[in-house]
C-alpha cells in the first residue's frame, strides 16, 4: 500500500460519512472535533503517527458512520487500510491487533482526561494548560480566540475575557493573531502543572 499525501486543511471525514478504511498516519496531525447543535465545537483528540482515530475504529467495528469531523491539521502522509483488510488483520495478525488494542486503550485514557478536564476544571486552568501545550518549547502561539475556545470546549467570549485577564496580570501579551507567553511559571501554577 502506498502512502497518500494530504494537504493541510483537507476534511478527511464528516458526521454521517461512511468510513473508507482504517487510517495509519505516518506524518502530520489530524484534528478530530465534535460540533453541538448550538454550534459550539470541542477538539476530542488529535491523531499523530502511531495513534489511532477512535471515530474510524468505532465505525469499522460497529459498521456505523462518523459522528465527528476529522481535518488535516498539518500536511499529512497516511495510509488507508480498506475495511475488509482491516478486519482480516485484526483477526489474523497478532502484532497488529496488539498494537491496535494498546492504542485504543491509550486513546480512551485521553478521552477520560478530556471529560475530567471539561467537567471538573475551571476555564482558567483549561486555558492555561492549552496555552502551554500549544506553545510547546516556544514562547509564541499563533491561535485565534475561536480556536482556543474550540480547543478547550468553551465559548469565544469567555476565552476573550480570560485572555484579557491573563494579559492584565502580565502572563501573556496579545497581538493580532499571536499570543506571547510572558510568565510561563505562573501559567503552570494556574494550570496546576509542575515545572
Amino acid at each position: 500500500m502506498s502512502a497518500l499525501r494530504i494537504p493541510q486543511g483537507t476534511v478527511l471525514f464528516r458526521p454521517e460519512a461512511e468510513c473508507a478504511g482504517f487510517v495509519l498516519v505516518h506524518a502530520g496531525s489530524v484534528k478530530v472535533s465534535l460540533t453541538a447543535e448550538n454550534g459550539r465545537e470541542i477538539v476530542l483528540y488529535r491523531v499523530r503517527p502511531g495513534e489511532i482515530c477512535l471515530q474510524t475504529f468505532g465505525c469499522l467495528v460497529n459498521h456505523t458512520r462518523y459522528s465527528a469531523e476529522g481535518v488535516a491539521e498539518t500536511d499529512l502522509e497516511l495510509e488507508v487500510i480498506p475495511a475488509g483488510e482491516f478486519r482480516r488483520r485484526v483477526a489474523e495478525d497478532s502484532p497488529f491487533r496488539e498494537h491496535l488494542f494498546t492504542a485504543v486503550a491509550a486513546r480512551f485514557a485521553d478521552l477520560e482526561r478530556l471529560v475530567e478536564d471539561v467537567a471538573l476544571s475551571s476555564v482558567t486552568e483549561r486555558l492555561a494548560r492549552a496555552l502551554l501545550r500549544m506553545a510547546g518549547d516556544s514562547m509564541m502561539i499563533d491561535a485565534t480566540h475561536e480556536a482556543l475556545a474550540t480547543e478547550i470546549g468553551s465559548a469565544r467570549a469567555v476565552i476573550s475575557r480570560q485572555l484579557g485577564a491573563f494579559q492584565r496580570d502580565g502572563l501573556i501579551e496579545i497581538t493580532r493573531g499571536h499570543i506571547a507567553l510572558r510568565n510561563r511559571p505562573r501559567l503552570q501554577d494556574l494550570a496546576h502543572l509542575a515545572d
Side-chain angles (χ1 to χ4, degrees), residues 13 18-24 53 55-57 59-60 66 79-87:
F13 56 84
E18 290 188 24
C19 181
F22 188 72
V23 174
L24 295 172
C53 175
Q55 280 283 310
T56 300
F57 176 78
C59 289
L60 289 170
Y66 285 106
E79 186 179 330
V80 179
I81 301 173
E85 173 68 8
F86 169 77
R87 288 187 188 91

Side-chain angles (χ1 to χ4, degrees), residues 31 42-46 48 73 110 113-114 117-118 123 125-143 147-153 181 184 187-188 191 193:
K31 180 177 75 170
I42 187 168
V43 175
L44 296 175
Y45 53 85
R46 287 176 169 80
R48 296 181 178 99
E73 192 168 47
D110 292 344
R113 280 190 292 277
L114 174 65
D117 199 29
V118 171
V123 169
E125 287 176 69
R126 292 177 7 231
L127 184 56
R129 276 196 291 270
L131 292 172
L132 292 164
R133 182 178 60 249
M134 293 171 82
D137 294 333
S138 172
M139 295 298 280
M140 187 66 73
I141 300 165
D142 296 328
L148 287 166
T150 298
E151 192 70 28
I152 70 165
L181 304 188
R184 186 182 289 266
L187 283 170
Q188 288 174 324
L193 299 174

Side-chain angles (χ1 to χ4, degrees), residues 154-183:
S154 187
R156 184 191 182 287
V158 173
I159 296 305
S160 295
R161 281 193 299 274
Q162 189 59 58
L163 287 171
F166 282 177
Q167 183 164 262
R168 282 189 300 281
D169 292 343
L171 306 179
I172 62 171
E173 183 179 331
I174 303 170
T175 57
R176 191 163 184 81
H178 305 288
I179 300 170
L181 304 188
R182 294 292 178 228
N183 190 336

